[in-house]
Amino acid sequence: MVITSKSNPKIKAISKLNDKKFRKESGLYLVEGIKPVTECIAAGCEVDLVICTEKLAENFVGPTVVSEDVFSFISSEKTPQGVIATVKIPQTQLKAPSGSCILLDRLQDPGNLGTIIRTANGAGYREIYMIGCTDPYSPKAVRASMSGIFFTEIYQGSETEIFSALKGVSLVCADMDGENIFKFRPPEKFCLCIGNEGSGICGDIIKKADFKVRIPMSESCESLNAAVSAGIAMYVLKEFK
């Protein structure tokens, strides 16, 4: 059976997952595209539904098949590939990191957030803690993570809750007043903190820093993009491991 109506209850419920409110209510998020959906399934994520067009139906087990028109209605892509999965948001309980980790303070751009998740996965940082950030399960953040969100553990909470979990872990803050990161030698286990795109790390968190590091730049450059800074810092600090 092929669903051809946009008013179908299942289709309406899926389309609502583009909204954070309904992601929170349902506990589901969207993964779109052939490669991301395939990797999501292979990673063992809890897939609720796979929705695809007729031409892709044979590529997946038990999919909900929809018309091209209906798929375009639920897709957030400019050029849809024809497959979307609804996936259960992991219900992670805050805990101490197993190794060096990342802390993100109030990041608001989903593209930056997703890119940092992607890079953290590539650089070997398994745990990512977030305070007041944009939703990591929004379609744009998931897309930018390039499947990194399937292989990292995301922890969200208040400043008090997060720092309770990070107790005893050295905090390394990316800050313009810090020492040259290329000369810095990190402790064996640390938490790298990246701040808001415009205002950086908030004052209360900076006060908790055990170390502050900066990426040297030419005088004509005021700052780097948050995701770029995070990527450089992640790899530089791992170089000494």
Side-chain angles (χ1 to χ4, degrees), residues 19-31:
D19 188 309
K20 181 180 179 179
K21 175 186 175 182
F22 290 101
R23 288 195 295 273
K24 186 174 182 179
E25 288 180 358
S26 67
L28 298 170
Y29 71 103
L30 297 172
V31 175

Side-chain angles (χ1 to χ4, degrees), residues 162-199:
I162 294 295
F163 276 98
S164 177
L166 294 175
K167 186 177 181 180
V169 181
S170 295
L171 183 65
V172 180
C173 288
D175 185 79
M176 294 298 289
D177 294 326
E179 63 180 288
N180 188 328
I181 193 169
F182 293 99
K183 297 178 180 178
F184 174 69
R185 295 295 183 270
E188 186 63 30
K189 183 177 180 180
F190 61 87
C191 175
L192 170 64
C193 182
I194 303 295
N196 175 269
E197 291 90 345
S199 56

Side-chain angles (χ1 to χ4, degrees), residues 39-99:
E39 291 182 339
C40 179
I41 294 170
C45 297
E46 291 190 69
V47 176
D48 177 58
L49 281 177
V50 173
I51 307 95
C52 65
T53 55
E54 287 183 85
K55 65 182 179 181
L56 290 179
E58 63 181 26
N59 294 1
F60 300 95
V61 178
T64 295
V65 183
V66 301
S67 66
E68 296 278 355
D69 190 43
V70 169
F71 192 86
S72 294
F73 172 69
I74 61 176
S75 173
S76 62
E77 297 280 7
K78 292 181 180 178
T79 54
Q81 294 182 4
V83 61
I84 288 177
T86 59
V87 184
K88 292 184 180 180
I89 296 172
Q91 299 302 305
T92 52
Q93 297 296 316
L94 266 173
K95 62 180 182 179
S98 58

